[in-house]
Amino acid sequence: MGMDDEQLRAQLTLPRFPRSAAYDPRWLIRNVMGPNPLWLLEELTARMPLRPGMRVLDLGCGKAVTSIFLAREFGVTVWAADLWVAPTENLARIREAGCADRVFPLLAEARELPFAHGYFDAVISIDAYHYFGTDDFYVGYLADFIRPGGLLGIAVPGLRAEIDRVPEHLRPYWQWEFASLHSVGWWRRHWELTGKVGVLDAWEQDDGWRYWRHWCRVCAQAGEDETVREASRHEARMLDADEGRTFTFALLVAKKPEVGGT
């Protein structure tokens, strides 16, 4: 059974994420591409000192929901880069949100970024960085596009601890792409060994798997097409089976060293 607008808003209004609660829940579900991106972004940006006028790259922006949030909530200028969603499609959403003067959509491959080195004050990636950032060389490549002293922040699905085999209870749900999921400690080490950025903060989202499951359950009821509803039901069943033993969300904030300093 579906939900009316009041029921849906009540389900997706959580005290922990007051900024996200201001956004139309049907709009969010219509543009779903995974876990609720605004809940992750709101928690990440609470530990990132973003200021109006900053240039921000939203890397792997999907349908530009996160880009719109960044522009509205922080007054930053955002380059909304994605490989899978056409810029023209994102531009329509950006215009509808009244952000066309602050959010610029483009098609970009994460390993072939079309920007000048040192151009961005911050790079943010929500539920996308694990698709390309596990490469040993990637953070060094990406850091070149951040100004000295600039910020890098990511939020990705992850693991509570590294594993060397698929847990038995997850075998019915496991996908080979899950090999890209790692623990917070793995990501910290992965970044810090390069010396290209220094990690300021790295943490697991408290009860992140529960928020993820809650979002899936809501999408399973309120999704606008059966594909979304079935995918959400499947993820919810997986998270029910896991009960937080394996999956979590990893969030990291790092700073590029100042010239001649740290």
Side-chain angles (χ1 to χ4, degrees), residues 160-198:
R160 292 199 177 277
E162 294 300 300
I163 59 177
D164 56 14
R165 63 178 60 87
V166 178
E168 192 63 35
H169 68 281
L170 290 177
R171 287 189 181 279
Y173 308 99
W174 197 263
Q175 302 172 37
W176 73 267
E177 296 96 332
F178 290 176
S180 69
L181 305 185
H182 291 285
S183 66
V184 170
W186 186 94
W187 282 112
R188 178 189 282 275
R189 174 183 176 279
H190 187 62
W191 284 10
E192 289 190 333
L193 281 177
T194 68
K196 298 283 280 187
V197 296

Side-chain angles (χ1 to χ4, degrees), residues 34-57:
N36 188 311
L38 296 193
W39 293 347
L40 293 169
L41 181 57
E42 184 165 352
E43 178 155 340
L44 181 73
T45 52
R47 306 195 194 187
M48 291 184 75
L50 299 179
R51 300 184 303 276
M54 278 185 164
R55 290 194 293 260
V56 176
L57 173 60

